[in-house]
Amino acid sequence: RDCQQANIKSLSGWKQWRSSSSKSMKKVLNEVKELSSYLELWRHDIHSIEGKFGTGIQSYFSFLRFLVLLNFTIFILMFSFVTLPSIISKYGIFNSSFAKIPPKNVEPHCTDYKPSGDQGLIYFYTYLKDLLSGTGFLEVTILFYGYYTIDAAWFSMLRYNLPLAYLLTTFAYLALSLLWIIKRSAEGFKQNLIHDEDLFQSYCNKVFAGWDFCITDPNAARLKHRSLQYELQTDLEEERLKKKIADRTMKEKLRIYSLRMFINIIVIAVLSGCFYSIYRATVFSQENSNVSIRRDLRTDSANLLVQYLPSIVITLANFSAPQIFSFLIRFEDYSPAFEIRLTLMRCVFVRLANIGVLLFSLWSHISYCATDKCKACGYNYELYPCWESEVGQEMYKLTIFDFIIILSVTLFVDFPRKLLVTHCSCKLVQWCGLREFGISDSVLEIIYGQTICWIGTFFSPLLPAIATVKYFIIFYIKKISLIHTCKSAARPMRASSSNFFFLVVLLIGLVLAFIPLGISIAHIPSSKACGPFRSFNTSWAVVPDTINGFPTSLQQVLYGIASEAFAVPFFMVICLIMFYFIALAGAHKRVVEQLREQLVMVRSDPLLFTPKV
C-alpha cells in the first residue's frame, strides 16, 4: 500500500484523478451488486428452505424462480412488440391508425368468422364458463390470436409491420429461452464437474472449506450448518448404495435385473394407456362439443365438460402416471440422484407426449377437408374459421386446469392428510404418514406447464403473463405445503446434479415445442378470417414477402445466405470449430489428471518434489 501511494504521488494530476475515479467506480459497482443481491426475488425464502430441507429441495424453488423471470421477460417481449402496437393503433392513440387489407385470391366463405361472443341477457355462470374455457367475451380480447387482425399500424408517418413483428417476436422469445437455458446449464455443468471429482477432495472441501466465515447472524449460521449436514448426508447415502451394489451376489443381481425388466414392462403399458385415452378423449371432444342456441345452466355445464374433456384426461394422466412411477421406482434400488432422473424421464414421455397427441388430434381435424369449398381454404373453415384461436384456447384451458389441480391437491389432499396424521391415532393413518415432497413430480409439473406456455404463446400472446402469475402463486403454495403438510424425502439428493438435469429436461421441452410451432408456422395454412397472417398462405410467407421489398443487392445477399452454397461450408466450419474445442477439452482433462496424480505423489512423498537449493 505504501508503494502504491508513493507511486500515485509521483503521477500527474490527471492520472491521479483517473486512478481515484477508477477505485471509486469499482467500489460503487461492488456496493450496487451487493444491494441488488438483497433485491433478488425470494432470496430469504429460498435460503431458509435450503437450511431446513437441504439443497435438493432448494434447487426446485430456485428453478421455479427462474421460470417466473423467464415468463415475465417473454410477456414483456410479446406485449411490447405485438399487443401494445395493436391496442394503440386500434384506439388511435398518439395520432396512430391501422390498416386491414382484404385477402386476395381467397373465396369469400373462407373469410367468414363470427366469434362466439355473448349477446343479450348474460348469466353469471356463462361468464364463469367463458373465463374457464377462453370462449365468449374472452375470444375477442387481446388474449387470443384472433384479436390481432391488423395488416399494418401507422404511427404518424412510420409504418409498423405487425405480421412480421408477430413472427419475429415469436422467434425472439424462443431464442431467448434457448440461450438462457444453455447459459444456466453451463453453470450447472461446471458445478456438476466439481462435485464429480475425487470423493476425498469433495469431503475435504466440505469439512475444511465449506464454512462461510462472513456469517455473523445466528439464524444464518444455523441454516448453513443444516445445509452442510444435508450435503454430507447425501454423500454418505451415495457411498452406502455404492458399497451395497458392490457387495451384491449373482443371485441378487439376477433378482434385481428381472424385477427392473418387469417394472419397465408395466411402465410401457401405463404410457400406452395414457396416449390412447388422450387420443380418444380429444376425438370425442371435437366431435361432440358445440354451442347450443338454447342457453341454460345444464347445457352450458355439459358443453364445458365436453370442451374440458381432453384437459381433464391429460391432467389425470399427468397426475396418476408419476404416482405410479414414483411407487415403482422404490423397488428398483437406484441411487437418489439416478432415481430422480429416471422418474423424470419417464414422466417426460407422459406429459410432453400428451401435448403432442392433443395437437396431432386437433391438426388432423383442422386439416381434414371433404368438400371443394374446404379445399379452397386449405383447412376446415366450417369448424375452425379461426383455428389459431382454437389452439390457443386449448393451451389456455390446459394452463388453467393444471393450476386448479395443483391448488386442489394441496387444499383437499395434503391438508386433510396432515390433520388426520396429527389428530388420528389409527395405525393405518399413521402408517401412511405425511406425503413426501416429490421433487421429480413437482419439477415435471412446472416443465409441463412451461412447454404449454412456449407452444401457446404464438396462439395466445398473453399466455406468458398468466404463466408468470401461476408460477408466482405456486411458489407460495409449494412452500406452505412443504413446511406444514409434507415431509422431507427419506433419501436426500444433491442440488448440483439436480439443477443441471432439471435444465436439460426443460431444454428437451423447449426443443419439442419447436416441432408443433414449426408445423403451424410453415406448413398449416393460416386462417383467412382472422389474425395478422390472413393475407398470406402460411405464417412464414411474410418473411419472403418482406424480403421482396428490399433493394435488389440486399435480396441477393439474403438469398445467398439461405442457399445450400452458404449452408454447407458454414456447417463444415462449425464442425471443425466444434472438433477443435472437443480436442482442447480432452487435452485440458489429461493435464488435470496428471496434476492430480502429482498431488497424490506429493502427499505420499513430500521429498519427491522438494526444490533443490
Side-chain angles (χ1 to χ4, degrees):
R1 186 172 63 239
D2 294 338
C3 292
Q4 287 182 354
Q5 289 177 354
N7 293 331
I8 290 174
K9 291 179 180 179
S10 63
L11 297 175
S12 63
W14 166 252
K15 291 184 178 179
Q16 288 182 11
W17 179 84
R18 196 170 65 176
S19 177
S20 61
S21 299
S22 177
K23 290 181 180 179
S24 301
M25 183 59 67
K26 288 181 180 179
K27 185 177 180 180
V28 170
L29 290 176
N30 289 332
E31 291 178 354
V32 170
K33 186 176 180 181
E34 184 179 356
L35 179 63
S36 63
S37 65
Y38 288 98
L39 300 177
E40 188 177 9
L41 183 63
W42 298 321
R43 178 177 177 269
H44 175 73
D45 294 333
I46 291 178
H47 284 176
S48 177
I49 290 170
E50 179 185 3
K52 293 179 181 178
F53 302 98
T55 56
I57 294 179
Q58 174 264 340
S59 64
Y60 163 74
F61 286 93
S62 298
F63 185 64
L64 189 56
R65 177 177 60 188
F66 163 67
L67 291 184
V68 169
L69 297 176
L70 176 63
N71 282 297
F72 183 73
T73 306
I74 295 174
F75 160 69
I76 293 297
L77 274 176
M78 295 299 295
F79 184 81
S80 301
F81 294 100
V82 176
T83 305
L84 190 60
S86 300
I87 296 175
I88 291 176
S89 61
K90 282 195 173 183
Y91 288 96
I93 305 174
F94 304 125
N95 195 23
S96 60
S97 61
F98 66 95
K100 286 186 178 181
I101 304 173
K104 299 178 181 179
N105 301 322
V106 175
E107 296 295 331
H109 60 269
C110 298
T111 60
D112 187 19
Y113 174 47
K114 296 178 180 179
S116 58
D118 299 305
Q119 299 177 356
L121 182 63
I122 306 302
Y123 295 100
F124 173 75
Y125 64 81
T126 304
Y127 281 114
L128 183 62
K129 178 188 77 69
D130 294 339
L131 187 64
L132 292 174
S133 61
T135 57
F137 74 95
L138 277 181
E139 187 174 353
V140 293
T141 62
I142 58 176
L143 183 60
F144 292 110
Y145 173 92
Y147 175 86
Y148 304 91
T149 309
I150 297 176
D151 294 287
W154 291 90
F155 302 98
S156 295
M157 299 300 294
L158 298 177
R159 183 180 183 272
Y160 188 78
N161 191 340
L162 185 67
L164 183 63
Y166 199 107
L167 188 63
L168 292 182
T169 308
T170 301
F171 294 154
Y173 81 74
L174 292 174
L176 173 68
S177 303
L178 179 63
L179 294 176
W180 204 341
I181 293 173
I182 290 175
K183 180 179 179 297
R184 289 182 63 95
S185 299
E187 295 173 357
F189 185 66
K190 292 177 184 177
Q191 296 178 3
N192 203 16
L193 287 178
I194 294 173
H195 284 284
D196 287 342
E197 62 187 0
D198 183 32
L199 287 177
F200 179 77
Q201 297 177 15
S202 177
Y203 285 124
C204 288
N205 289 337
K206 289 183 178 65
V207 174
F208 296 107
W211 184 254
D212 185 1
F213 288 93
C214 296
I215 294 176
T216 57
D217 182 58
N219 293 327
R222 185 165 55 252
L223 293 176
K224 187 66 177 178
H225 272 132
R226 291 177 180 174
S227 178
L228 290 173
Q229 174 190 347
Y230 276 107
E231 284 286 327
L232 291 171
Q233 185 179 352
T234 303
D235 289 336
L236 294 174
E237 177 70 12
E238 291 182 355
E239 284 297 304
R240 185 189 66 80
L241 288 173
K242 288 180 180 178
K243 187 176 183 301
K244 180 180 177 182
I245 292 172
D247 295 340
R248 281 176 184 165
T249 62
M250 184 59 67
K251 182 179 179 181
E252 290 175 342
K253 289 181 181 179
L254 289 175
R255 182 188 64 81
I256 194 67
Y257 290 149
S258 301
L259 181 61
R260 288 175 182 175
M261 187 179 299
F262 177 71
I263 290 175
N264 284 321
I265 293 174
I266 297 177
V267 169
I268 293 173
V270 171
L271 292 173
S272 303
C274 291
F275 297 159
Y276 181 75
S277 301
I278 293 166
Y279 175 77
R280 294 304 308 169
T282 306
V283 172
F284 180 83
S285 175
Q286 295 299 312
E287 292 178 350
N288 294 276
S289 62
N290 52 28
V291 181
S292 177
I293 298 176
R294 181 176 174 266
R295 308 296 295 266
D296 55 28
L297 179 60
R298 182 179 300 177
T299 304
D300 282 347
S301 301
N303 192 30
L304 179 64
L305 182 62
V306 172
Q307 290 179 3
Y308 255 92
L309 187 59
S311 301
I312 293 173
V313 175
I314 288 175
T315 304
L316 287 175
N318 293 340
F319 178 74
S320 59
Q323 302 298 325
I324 297 172
F325 297 156
S326 299
F327 175 75
L328 293 176
I329 198 72
R330 301 175 185 174
F331 302 99
E332 298 186 76
D333 201 12
Y334 291 117
S335 65
F338 187 78
E339 186 175 298
I340 292 289
R341 295 172 189 173
L342 184 59
T343 306
L344 273 173
M345 293 308 299
R346 286 172 175 172
C347 297
V348 162
F349 280 105
V350 174
R351 292 179 178 267
L352 300 185
N354 288 347
I355 302 174
V357 172
L358 172 66
L359 293 175
F360 172 79
S361 304
L362 285 174
W363 285 332
S364 62
H365 282 76
I366 292 170
S367 303
Y368 177 74
C369 288
T371 61
D372 293 335
K373 282 188 174 182
C374 178
K375 292 179 181 179
C377 300
Y379 59 95
N380 194 339
Y381 74 96
E382 294 178 346
L383 293 178
Y384 306 98
C386 184
W387 65 265
E388 291 91 348
S389 291
E390 294 280 346
V391 176
Q393 289 169 1
E394 291 295 332
M395 299 297 104
Y396 173 82
K397 286 186 285 187
L398 286 175
T399 302
I400 297 298
F401 200 74
D402 182 58
F403 173 73
I404 292 174
I405 289 297
I406 294 174
L407 181 62
S408 300
V409 168
T410 303
L411 292 178
F412 303 115
V413 176
D414 292 343
F415 274 103
R417 185 172 177 176
K418 167 71 174 180
L419 293 175
L420 285 175
V421 173
T422 304
H423 300 287
C424 182
S425 59
C426 177
K427 292 184 178 180
L428 180 61
V429 174
Q430 296 300 321
W431 177 77
C432 293
L434 296 177
R435 184 175 70 89
E436 287 189 358
F437 189 83
I439 298 178
S440 60
D441 299 342
S442 301
V443 168
L444 256 295
E445 286 175 355
I446 57 179
I447 290 178
Y448 163 76
Q450 186 58 40
T451 306
I452 292 174
C453 180
W454 278 323
I455 297 174
T457 301
F458 180 77
F459 308 102
S460 178
L462 294 189
L463 195 61
I466 299 174
T468 302
V469 176
K470 170 188 168 183
Y471 289 141
F472 190 87
I473 299 174
I474 285 176
F475 180 91
Y476 290 101
I477 293 174
K478 291 294 183 179
K479 179 188 173 184
I480 294 172
S481 176
L482 173 66
I483 296 174
H484 297 288
T485 67
C486 294
K487 61 181 180 180
S488 301
R491 303 169 73 178
M493 55 171 291
R494 181 183 288 115
S496 58
S497 58
S498 303
N499 281 327
F500 175 67
F501 190 71
F502 293 164
L503 290 167
V504 169
V505 177
L506 183 64
L507 186 61
I508 294 173
L510 177 60
V511 172
L512 291 179
F514 287 161
I515 299 174
L517 284 176
I519 295 174
S520 302
I521 292 172
H523 179 68
I524 301 180
S526 56
S527 297
K528 303 301 183 292
C530 69
F533 305 105
R534 62 198 184 104
S535 299
F536 304 96
N537 187 32
T538 60
S539 301
W540 176 255
V542 68
V543 175
D545 182 76
T546 304
I547 293 176
N548 290 333
F550 292 163
T552 307
S553 58
L554 183 57
Q555 290 184 34
Q556 292 175 353
V557 171
L558 294 175
Y559 285 128
I561 293 174
S563 64
E564 295 84 353
F566 177 83
V568 174
F570 179 77
F571 178 74
M572 294 178 65
V573 170
I574 292 295
C575 289
L576 290 174
I577 295 174
M578 182 180 65
F579 290 145
Y580 167 75
F581 279 107
I582 291 174
L584 189 63
H588 288 167
K589 184 177 181 180
R590 288 192 296 270
V591 171
V592 171
E593 291 175 354
Q594 291 175 2
L595 291 174
R596 284 181 177 175
E597 292 175 359
Q598 291 180 10
L599 287 173
V600 173
M601 295 176 69
V602 169
R603 192 167 57 216
S604 61
D605 188 3
L607 298 177
L608 185 62
F609 289 93
T610 302
K612 295 180 180 180
V613 180

